[in-house]
Amino acid sequence: MSPLDDDAWDAWSPHELFQRIGGAIHPWYITGGWALDVWRGKQMREHEDLEFAVIRNDVNYFRTILHELDFFAVKNGILEYLPPSADLPSDVWQLWGADMRQRCWRVDMMIEPGTPDVWIYKRDQTIQMARSDAVRISKTGIPYLSPINVILFKAKYCREKDQKDFYTSWSKFSHKEQKQLLAWLNQLHPGHEWIVNLESTDRFGVT
């Protein structure tokens, strides 16, 4: 099966995904820019896709629930069809879900190396925390990645949308959250431009 065009996105909203997998018995959560909007309780910008994350061992479980979609492995910018009977290759960390009847992509499934109890940052697995601290639940029941964890992912590329997400979010973090994000950035991205903002609040003890 050939993949759709890369830009053929008509992504579900977090609510539409929740309607399909909200009753799952294994962990999952909204991540990326949509996670920040779920945290805020309102949509702040347009989103071209919908990213959600699952633990590697649970990928087949979620593929089964989302049986209306055909999944394609994403690796090095190449999309390759992954049949329902095929297991996820160990070197693949991302799947795009295609609605072939409507000819559009619906979800971007991100693969996480954690456990049911521990969240692990896949780009540096020394960064770990209790899943109960990394994943929050919205008032409507949607699980989403903690905002500082989302911003940590966004720090690597600093695209225009990442800049907007940081500057509309960081001042709303608690002092403890700002200190944690600052420590992560100093560890993984020394000299990052966002450090100045976080150091200013850390210096004056803003809560």
Side-chain angles (χ1 to χ4, degrees), residues 7-13 16 48 102-107:
D7 59 356
W9 276 93
D10 185 10
W12 289 330
S13 68
E16 288 172 316
E48 65 271 17
Q102 298 298 320
R103 306 297 298 173
C104 62
W105 301 108
R106 296 296 195 187
V107 294

Side-chain angles (χ1 to χ4, degrees), residues 127 129 148-149 152 180-189:
I127 295 180
M129 61 196 303
I148 63 168
N149 299 56
L152 176 60
Q180 179 62 81
L181 180 57
L182 176 61
W184 285 340
L185 292 181
N186 278 320
Q187 175 184 343
L188 301 181
H189 305 285

Side-chain angles (χ1 to χ4, degrees), residues 67-203:
H67 56 82
E68 66 195 281
L69 301 179
D70 290 293
F71 285 94
F72 290 76
V74 182
K75 182 183 176 184
N76 299 325
I78 298 174
L79 291 158
E80 183 175 347
Y81 179 57
L82 188 67
S85 59
D87 288 330
L88 182 73
S90 61
D91 59 349
V92 171
W93 292 89
Q94 184 178 12
L95 295 174
W96 283 12
D99 182 339
M100 299 305 284
R101 288 179 299 176
Q102 298 298 320
R103 306 297 298 173
C104 62
W105 301 108
R106 296 296 195 187
V107 294
D108 185 351
M109 184 191 297
M110 312 299 288
I111 316 303
E112 187 220 299
T115 71
D117 297 319
V118 179
W119 179 86
I120 300 176
Y121 183 53
K122 68 181 181 181
R123 292 176 180 163
D124 185 330
Q125 297 190 20
T126 64
I127 295 180
Q128 303 183 10
M129 61 196 303
R131 184 166 299 277
S132 57
D133 292 329
V135 179
R136 302 180 182 180
I137 306 296
S138 74
K139 292 180 180 179
T140 57
I142 299 174
Y144 64 95
L145 188 61
S146 169
I148 63 168
N149 299 56
V150 173
I151 295 299
L152 176 60
F153 275 104
K154 289 178 167 291
K156 180 176 181 179
Y157 296 111
C158 262
R159 299 159 296 186
E160 181 179 352
K161 63 181 180 180
D162 301 325
Q163 295 278 24
K164 182 174 182 179
D165 286 342
F166 174 76
Y167 285 107
T168 57
S169 301
W170 75 272
S171 63
K172 300 177 179 63
F173 299 158
S174 69
H175 184 51
K176 180 180 179 181
E177 290 171 332
Q178 290 176 352
K179 288 185 68 175
Q180 179 62 81
L181 180 57
L182 176 61
W184 285 340
L185 292 181
N186 278 320
Q187 175 184 343
L188 301 181
H189 305 285
H192 197 287
E193 62 181 278
W194 296 345
I195 288 175
V196 174
N197 299 84
L198 296 166
E199 283 182 336
S200 66
T201 56
D202 185 52
R203 187 163 54 248

